Amino acid sequence: DVKVTQSSRYLVKRTGEKVFLECVQDMDHENMFWYRQDPGLGLRLIYFSYDVKMKEKGDIPEGYSVSREKKERFSLILESASTNQTSMYLCASSPGVEAFFGQGTRLTVV
Amino acid sequence: GEDVEQSLFLSVREGDSSVINCTYTDSSSTYLYWYKQEPGAGLQLLTYIFSNMDMKQDQRLTVLLNKKDKHLSLRIADTQTGDSAIYFCAALGTTSGTYKYIFGTGTRLKVLA
């Protein structure tokens, strides 16, 4: 079974902190994605990566950056957390047609 | 840009059929998906359909695709309380040679006993 693991299920951070959300997949997938999920808005794509050290902006990249130093790991970075970044963050990986999701990280910024 | 739309809520009685609808705008979408999200969990792929098909059946699930109207539906036969969840429609689109998934808002299905 494909496994996509997000490092934390729940996080509480203070405004202005630098926050790292980690995602690891064990199936050698080329493509990895970060989404945020908010009620009534569905999933919105923040960033995606189709290869090591490659990244592409999604629909809402402002306030975020990403890092993909190794194929299995895709990190989402909030440079200076703000309360409007309180959300559920979902990581996904894909070899092509199917996307596999992690359990999600619920981040609260206070 | 690309967009995927769904209604937000659906309520059905246990044993009835549920039909969740979705429309999308990108006519070049090659694959269309249905994902299920249970409370506190990530998204689980239920089924997907290639854009040159108009129907796919998998046990209690039937997916219908009307490519002309860009309309996708998911029918769940004999709906059970365990089917209560949020269902997301998604389309696979391409941008500048790379592809990405566009998700709808999700439809919250509530099954009444």
Side-chain angles (χ1 to χ4, degrees):
Chain A
D1 274 358
V2 175
K3 193 154 181 158
V4 180
T5 304
Q6 293 183 232
S7 52
S8 307
R9 290 295 302 275
Y10 301 95
L11 274 180
V12 180
K13 296 291 182 181
R14 294 196 178 277
T15 302
E17 274 193 77
K18 190 168 185 175
V19 181
F20 293 85
L21 302 183
E22 307 285 347
C23 175
V24 176
Q25 49 100 357
D26 66 357
M27 286 301 291
D28 203 37
H29 290 167
E30 303 285 343
N31 310 288
M32 296 187 75
F33 305 83
W34 274 107
Y35 291 88
R36 64 177 280 178
Q37 181 183 4
D38 299 288
L41 297 177
L43 274 69
R44 292 180 291 167
L45 182 63
I46 305 171
Y47 267 97
F48 62 105
S49 167
Y50 50 90
D51 203 351
V52 176
K53 297 192 188 293
M54 305 300 285
K55 59 186 179 185
E56 292 276 345
K57 291 181 181 179
D59 300 316
I60 51 162
E62 297 77 19
Y64 303 94
S65 62
V66 289
S67 171
R68 188 141 181 228
E69 295 296 319
K70 292 184 178 180
K71 195 173 187 180
E72 67 269 19
R73 186 180 296 270
F74 192 34
S75 304
L76 179 69
I77 304 154
L78 286 67
E79 297 290 343
S80 176
S82 64
T83 54
N84 64 12
Q85 292 178 309
T86 291
S87 188
M88 169 74 94
Y89 290 87
L90 290 164
C91 173
S93 76
S94 172
V97 172
E98 297 181 43
F100 300 88
F101 282 82
Q103 290 281 76
T105 297
R106 187 167 291 283
L107 172 67
T108 303
V109 182
V110 298
Chain B
E2 305 94 339
D3 196 20
V4 175
E5 293 192 356
Q6 305 175 236
S7 54
L8 290 179
F9 299 101
L10 177 66
S11 181
V12 298
R13 294 209 171 275
E14 192 174 18
D16 288 350
S17 292
S18 311
V19 180
I20 303 171
N21 294 300
C22 166
T23 57
Y24 60 98
T25 57
D26 185 1
S27 57
S28 68
S29 296
T30 50
Y31 287 90
L32 296 130
Y33 304 82
W34 285 104
Y35 282 86
K36 178 183 181 182
Q37 185 183 38
E38 296 183 2
L43 272 67
Q44 172 197 355
L45 178 65
L46 281 179
T47 186
Y48 63 91
I49 188 166
F50 187 49
S51 59
N52 70 352
M53 297 169 65
D54 50 23
M55 187 180 96
K56 182 178 180 182
Q57 188 152 3
D58 184 1
Q59 299 182 338
R60 291 190 298 124
L61 305 179
T62 303
V63 178
L64 295 177
L65 174 61
N66 181 328
K67 200 172 177 185
K68 176 174 163 289
D69 293 339
K70 301 194 197 70
H71 181 266
L72 184 74
S73 68
L74 174 70
R75 178 177 180 269
I76 306 173
D78 187 25
T79 312
Q80 303 298 306
T81 53
D83 295 324
S84 292
I86 302 176
Y87 291 81
F88 288 93
C89 171
L92 182 63
T94 56
T95 304
S96 304
T98 61
Y99 65 89
K100 58 180 182 176
Y101 301 89
I102 308 298
F103 283 82
T105 54
T107 300
R108 186 179 292 275
L109 174 66
K110 184 170 182 178
V111 182
L112 306 171

